[in-house]
Each structure stands twice: as structure tokens, then as C-alpha cells.
Amino acid sequence: MPASGVSPTMSSIRQQPFGAAVLVLVWGWLLFLVLAPNLLVVGASVMTRDPGSFLSLPLNLDAYRQLMDPLYLDVFLHSLYMAAVTTLACLLIGYPFAWALSKVEKRRQLLLIFFLIVPFWTNSLVRTYALKLILATNGLINSALLSLGWIDEPVRMLYTEGAVIIGLVYLLLPFMILPLYSVFDDLREELVMASHDLGAGRFATFLHVIVPLTLPGVLAGVMLVLLPAMGLFFVPDILGGSRNLLVGNVIKNQFLDARNWPFGAAASIVLTLTMAVLMLAHRISKQRIGEEGSA
Amino acid sequence: MIRWLPRAWLMLIYGLLYVPIAVLVVFSFNDSRSGYTWGGLSLRWYETLFNNHAMVEAMWNSLWLALSAATVSTLIGGLTALALHRYRFRGKRVLNGMLFVVMMSPEIVLAISLLALFLLVGIQLGYVSLLLAHVTFCLPFVVITVMARLSGFDESLPEAARDLGASDFTMTRTVLIPVIMPALLAGWLLGFTLSLDDVVVSTFVSGPTYEILPLRIYSMVRVGLKPEVNALGTLLLVFSLVMLSLSQWILTRSKQ
């Protein structure tokens, strides 16, 4: 973003009452609806659960200790595992996909991207529900396989870990593809050719030129997939049954059903910290490419 | 490398992305009660859908919420983008950073923090809380859309306007606003769709007095099969398709 770039007509805010009013509005909005609520969550995570007024003193770290309880730790690790598999699957599908997409002629690319975004703008609940029609015991895949005679009895696919992962990949794939497409689109063909001219083989070029240059896109994609893959509680609700929960389900249950705010807040802070680490990694990888590019 | 392989991969993935959608559309015209087997063409599920009063009311509520959230976020977001583009001020980077963080945060984190705020401040859960929440998550998308439009803009026009004696306000109104109009429209449509589809944040900040569509669908699909959901999904698909085409059309036409 050209935030620090000073354009010739850019004026100081001090002489502009209208501009100042706009800034007061947007700052007010962000402080009241972003900063304050997040501070509240941090505060809630160190308070004590109270059935009457949600929270009470004294301050303590019980909620964080409860996160380490084997019961919840299991749920967390299982959720992290499903999110990691989802992310990896999105990367394995999305990386070659974005590469191939960037090679298509320019005019068709726009249309193809349009068709990539269409499902993404279609209500995600409804799309998850459609997967249920396909995966159910008497659903489309099973009836197709049965009528072909490939199986004798229906395979159980719904309400499994696999169903949750399929649902997550289906909903989140465009979030992996779009940032990857953007780095492949910026990738200069001369660099690849230069690498070939200098005697590098296909594999060496891929490893030493293409992978490092597309790394920011990979990290952006990972960030955009991994975190929602831990939060989209409606996917396990529809496809996963009660045994394949996400961190999002835990947070939702603790906040809305069990009314254990400190615990829900602590779980949410763990998610936020994960996001912070990923954002930092993304920044560093981008800066490193910037330095190499200008050197 | 085999030359057809990349194209085959593209086609395979596009196919897989559209299979569930195709199933949805086809089954919405299915006459069979069971939901899994084909029983001939019929519009009965559309009929069931529109005879469901709670559903129709939720549809109107959602539409109204999306309209107002998109409008408010376009107003604030558009002005913010102009301010970021036009003025030097302290904390600009922090403002940019905060908008970025809102965009990247997992929805559920935003959801519980807003719920905590609304309960603490005493804002009743309903239309107002939903509006505040939806505007908050739409805002960064509008700012980014408008900023992108402004960053490619020739600076000599506003300069000329100023040299001719136009005040900053007049210049903004007569030069900058027309330039960013397509981006404002695109941002509005984006906000509208985001608001209409949101499940996670709405689950937390809506109350019993104001039921909206995604939550109605959620309570329907959690248990068993409800064929009228197919009909609803098809309608929503057509609706998003129209909105998305419209925004693409506005953006590409204005570039020429």
C-alpha cells in the first residue's frame, strides 16, 4: 500500500476539517469495535467464570491451564491436525493450479478467475449441505458405486474426519489459489529462462528460483486457509458428527452454551497468536525477496 | 513436461468445485421426498420455501441487513480511502495495519470479541448489533478496493483543479468521487455479498428478535435433509452470480 508515499497534492490533515472529521469517524469505529473488544477478550481470559454475570474476579490463569487439560488438548491437537491436512491439501491442489492458471492466455484468465470466485460467493452453508448429499450413506457416491457393482454395501463417508477435511478444502481452496496466482502472475519469465541458461535443470530451477519467489504467496495462502480451517464450526456440525470438532466448535460451545467465557476467550487468544506468528513469517519472507530483488 | 497436463489439472479442479453446486441445482427441481433419489421434475421445493413464513421473513431481514451494512461500510470505507490517499497524518500506518488485521483475523475471533462488547455496553442483540458487526468486517474490503483504484490515478487532475482555485472539498466532490465511483460500487456489492453469506459472526451477535437467513439455514441443515434448502441455495447462487457479474462489468467497463 502506498501509505508512506507522499504524492505532490497530498496535504496535511491539519488544514482540512472535512478530512479530520472522516478520520475521527474511522478511528472511532476501529477503537470501539476492534481494539476495545479485543482488549475485552484478553481481559476475559484471565478472569474467573461466573454463571450470573459471565465474569468475575479474581484474576488468574485457570482458563489457560484448562486448555492444557488432556481432554481439550486432544480436541485442539485434532483440530490442528485437520487444519494442517486441509492446508497441505489446498497447497498441493492449489500450487500447480495457480501455476497452470498463470500460463493461460491473459483474456481467458479473467474469465477463469471469475469462475473460481463464483462458488466462493455462494452461501457456504448451502455448499456444505450439498456435500452432505454427495457423501451420505445413501448419497450420490454410494449409490453410484453400488449400481456399478464396485461395492456391496455403502461406505461410511459422512460424519468422519475425512468428510470434515473435504468440506474445509472445498470451502477454502480459493483462498489458497488467489494469493498463489498473484505471485505466479508476477513471476518474471526471464528469471526462469536465466536459470535455464545458466545450466540449471528443471528441478534446480524450481527449487532455487520458483519456490523462493512464490514463497510469500504460499505463506499468504497458508495463513488464509489454516486459521479459518480451525474456526469454521459449521463444517463439523454438518459433516463431522460429534467426534471431529474444531477449535471453533470449542470456542462456540464455551461462549454460547457452557457460558464459560474465560475459557472461550483463552482459546480465541491462542488462535490470534497463531495468526500473529504466521503474519510475521509472511512479512519476513516478503522483505527478504524485496532485498534480493533490489541487490 | 507433458503439455496437456496443466490444462487437465485446471479442468479437473474446476469440475470438482462445481459438482456440489450442480447437485444442488439439479436436486432443487427434484420431485422425490427422500432427497437422495431422483423422482422427476417439480417446483414443489420452491413452493415449500415460499410458503414458509419464518423463512421469507428471515430473507427480508437478511436483505435489509445486507443493504444497510453495504451502504454504511461503503460510505465510511470510501471516505477513509480518500483520507488515506489525500492526507498526511500521524498514525496512518497504524490505521492501515488495523484494517489489515481485521481482514486477516479468523471470523470467530472477531465474533466473540464483538459479543463481549455488546453485552458489556448493553447493546441489545438484534439488528443494531448485526449491523455494527457486519460493517466492521466489510470495511477493510471497501477501503482496499477504493485504494486500489486511487493508486493508479493520475495526480495532475486534482492538482489542476486546485490551481484553478477549487477548494479541497469541491475538488474531492468533482474530481475524485467520479474517479472512484466504480470502485465504490464494486465495494458496495462486495460488502452486500459478504454480509448476506456470513454465518460465523452472525451466529454470535444475533438475537431472537431478528432472525436472518444464514442462521435459519444453519438450524435447518444441522439435522437431516431439507430439500427446500436446495431450492434456496439455487436462488442464492443465481443472486450472487448476478451481483458478481454486475460488479465485474462495472469494473472492467470503467477501465476502458
Side-chain angles (χ1 to χ4, degrees), chain A residues 109-119, chain B residues 14 18 241 244-246 248:
Chain A
Q109 268 180 36
L110 283 177
L111 194 67
L112 284 175
I113 288 172
F114 179 78
F115 283 111
L116 191 66
I117 309 177
V118 170
Chain B
Y14 272 110
Y18 277 88
L241 210 59
L244 201 63
S245 312
L246 212 61
Q248 291 284 325

Side-chain angles (χ1 to χ4, degrees), chain A residues 1-12, chain B residues 84-89 92 155:
Chain A
M1 254 180 237
S4 50
V6 177
S7 77
T9 48
M10 195 181 266
S11 48
S12 169
Chain B
L84 282 169
H85 181 73
R86 298 282 307 142
Y87 304 124
R88 285 191 302 273
F89 55 88
K92 198 173 191 171
E155 283 298 329

Side-chain angles (χ1 to χ4, degrees), chain A residues 27-293:
Chain A
W27 268 120
W29 193 284
L30 290 178
L31 292 181
F32 180 61
L33 286 151
V34 178
L35 193 67
N38 279 302
L39 291 177
L40 267 177
V41 171
V42 175
S45 76
V46 292
M47 288 178 79
T48 308
R49 175 186 186 183
D50 188 308
S53 58
F54 300 120
L55 296 166
S56 64
L57 292 169
L59 300 181
N60 56 57
L61 291 174
D62 283 357
Y64 292 92
R65 227 167 275 138
Q66 204 185 339
L67 281 178
M68 296 296 146
D69 182 276
L71 181 73
Y72 287 109
L73 203 60
D74 266 3
V75 174
F76 262 76
L77 291 178
H78 188 55
S79 172
L80 191 66
Y81 165 77
M82 287 193 288
V85 174
T86 301
T87 311
L88 193 67
C90 283
L91 188 62
L92 290 177
I93 298 169
Y95 198 85
F97 185 94
W99 197 348
L101 190 61
S102 73
K103 298 281 178 210
V104 177
E105 52 182 305
K106 266 277 171 293
R107 282 182 57 194
R108 275 212 199 148
Q109 268 180 36
L110 283 177
L111 194 67
L112 284 175
I113 288 172
F114 179 78
F115 283 111
L116 191 66
I117 309 177
V118 170
F120 160 69
W121 284 131
T122 314
N123 194 291
S124 40
L125 271 178
V126 172
R127 284 190 293 143
T128 314
Y129 172 78
L131 285 179
K132 195 173 179 172
L133 290 177
I134 296 171
L135 298 173
T137 311
N138 42 358
L140 294 180
I141 295 182
N142 272 319
S143 11
L145 292 178
L146 280 171
S147 61
L148 283 170
W150 290 6
I151 51 174
D152 296 323
E153 50 188 88
V155 182
R156 194 181 121 104
M157 285 177 282
L158 199 61
Y159 307 126
T160 60
E161 187 184 284
V164 175
I165 292 171
I166 289 174
L168 290 171
V169 171
Y170 181 52
L171 292 182
L172 296 169
L173 187 62
F175 291 93
M176 177 64 86
I177 292 177
L178 290 174
L180 281 173
Y181 165 73
S182 126
V183 286
F184 273 116
D185 199 42
D186 286 345
L187 187 72
R188 283 161 55 206
E189 202 56 39
E190 304 97 273
L191 289 172
V192 177
M193 284 196 272
S195 165
H196 286 308
D197 290 347
L198 291 169
R202 279 184 187 285
F203 185 69
T205 305
F206 178 73
L207 204 64
H208 298 295
V209 178
I210 296 175
V211 167
L213 283 173
T214 52
L215 196 60
V218 172
L219 285 167
V222 167
M223 193 153 60
L224 288 171
V225 172
L226 189 67
L227 291 166
M230 293 196 273
L232 289 177
F233 54 78
F234 58 86
V235 177
D237 267 359
I238 299 173
L239 301 173
S242 56
R243 281 178 49 222
N244 300 296
L245 298 177
L246 302 181
V247 177
N249 296 79
V250 175
I251 297 179
K252 178 173 163 266
N253 293 341
Q254 293 299 324
F255 253 80
L256 296 184
D257 306 331
R259 298 278 167 191
N260 185 350
W261 279 31
F263 184 63
S268 149
I269 286 170
V270 172
L271 264 191
T272 312
L273 289 177
T274 320
M275 172 183 80
V277 171
L278 285 170
M279 275 169 96
L280 200 68
H282 178 240
R283 256 190 105 100
I284 291 171
S285 83
K286 249 185 140 163
Q287 272 168 1
R288 281 176 68 182
I289 286 187
E291 280 160 19
E292 279 164 26

Side-chain angles (χ1 to χ4, degrees), chain B residues 184-239:
Chain B
L184 286 177
L185 274 171
W188 188 89
L189 288 168
L190 196 62
F192 186 86
T193 345
L194 282 175
S195 163
L196 202 61
D197 284 351
D198 174 72
V199 185
V200 176
V201 175
S202 303
T203 303
F204 282 79
V205 300
S206 76
T209 54
Y210 200 82
E211 198 181 25
I212 55 171
L213 199 55
L215 299 187
R216 181 94 216 150
I217 303 175
Y218 191 30
S219 62
M220 286 175 77
V221 296
R222 278 169 92 170
V223 278
L225 285 184
K226 290 273 167 23
E228 62 259 46
V229 171
N230 297 331
L232 182 64
T234 307
L235 292 178
L236 285 171
L237 172 71
V238 172
F239 193 67

Side-chain angles (χ1 to χ4, degrees), chain B:
Chain B
M1 206 192 299
I2 314 162
R3 294 193 65 184
W4 52 262
L5 203 60
R7 266 167 204 254
W9 187 246
L10 283 179
M11 275 162 58
L12 176 73
I13 301 302
Y14 272 110
L16 288 177
L17 279 178
Y18 277 88
V19 165
I21 292 176
V23 168
L24 198 73
V25 174
V26 170
F27 273 72
S28 79
F29 297 107
N30 185 6
D31 196 31
S32 154
R33 212 160 224 307
S34 87
Y36 292 115
T37 46
W38 183 253
L41 275 176
S42 134
L43 288 174
R44 62 186 286 188
W45 301 119
Y46 290 88
E47 217 181 300
T48 316
L49 188 68
F50 285 108
N51 283 331
N52 183 340
H53 288 289
M55 180 66 99
V56 174
E57 196 190 315
M59 252 187 244
W60 283 117
N61 282 347
S62 268
L63 218 54
W64 174 240
L65 174 67
L67 276 172
S68 39
T71 309
V72 175
S73 55
T74 305
L75 274 175
I76 303 180
L79 289 171
T80 306
L82 278 175
L84 282 169
H85 181 73
R86 298 282 307 142
Y87 304 124
R88 285 191 302 273
F89 55 88
R90 253 198 254 172
K92 198 173 191 171
R93 289 182 68 132
V94 183
L95 187 60
N96 261 322
M98 265 178 100
L99 288 168
F100 184 64
V101 168
V102 175
M103 201 161 67
M104 300 301 279
S105 305
E107 276 182 290
I108 191 147
V109 173
L110 185 76
I112 63 159
S113 70
L114 285 171
L115 175 67
L117 178 83
F118 294 150
L119 289 183
L120 189 83
V121 180
I123 295 175
Q124 217 201 356
L125 295 181
Y127 174 71
V128 176
S129 62
L130 280 165
L131 180 67
L132 290 172
H134 283 211
V135 171
T136 304
F137 68 69
C138 292
L139 203 57
F141 291 95
V142 176
V143 175
I144 287 209
T145 315
V146 178
M147 285 288 278
R149 176 87 185 163
L150 281 169
S151 70
F153 171 60
D154 180 9
E155 283 298 329
S156 56
L157 268 173
E159 226 171 320
R162 288 261 279 250
D163 290 347
L164 291 168
S167 72
D168 209 63
F169 182 72
T170 314
M171 190 282 288
T172 305
R173 192 168 54 86
T174 55
V175 179
L176 288 181
I177 301 276
V179 166
I180 60 169
M181 207 32 136
L184 286 177
L185 274 171
W188 188 89
L189 288 168
L190 196 62
F192 186 86
T193 345
L194 282 175
S195 163
L196 202 61
D197 284 351
D198 174 72
V199 185
V200 176
V201 175
S202 303
T203 303
F204 282 79
V205 300
S206 76
T209 54
Y210 200 82
E211 198 181 25
I212 55 171
L213 199 55
L215 299 187
R216 181 94 216 150
I217 303 175
Y218 191 30
S219 62
M220 286 175 77
V221 296
R222 278 169 92 170
V223 278
L225 285 184
K226 290 273 167 23
E228 62 259 46
V229 171
N230 297 331
L232 182 64
T234 307
L235 292 178
L236 285 171
L237 172 71
V238 172
F239 193 67
S240 340
L241 210 59
V242 171
M243 296 293 267
L244 201 63
S245 312
L246 212 61
S247 87
Q248 291 284 325
W249 183 69
I250 291 167
L251 275 179
T252 44
R253 207 184 57 139
S254 65
K255 267 183 199 152
Q256 285 158 3

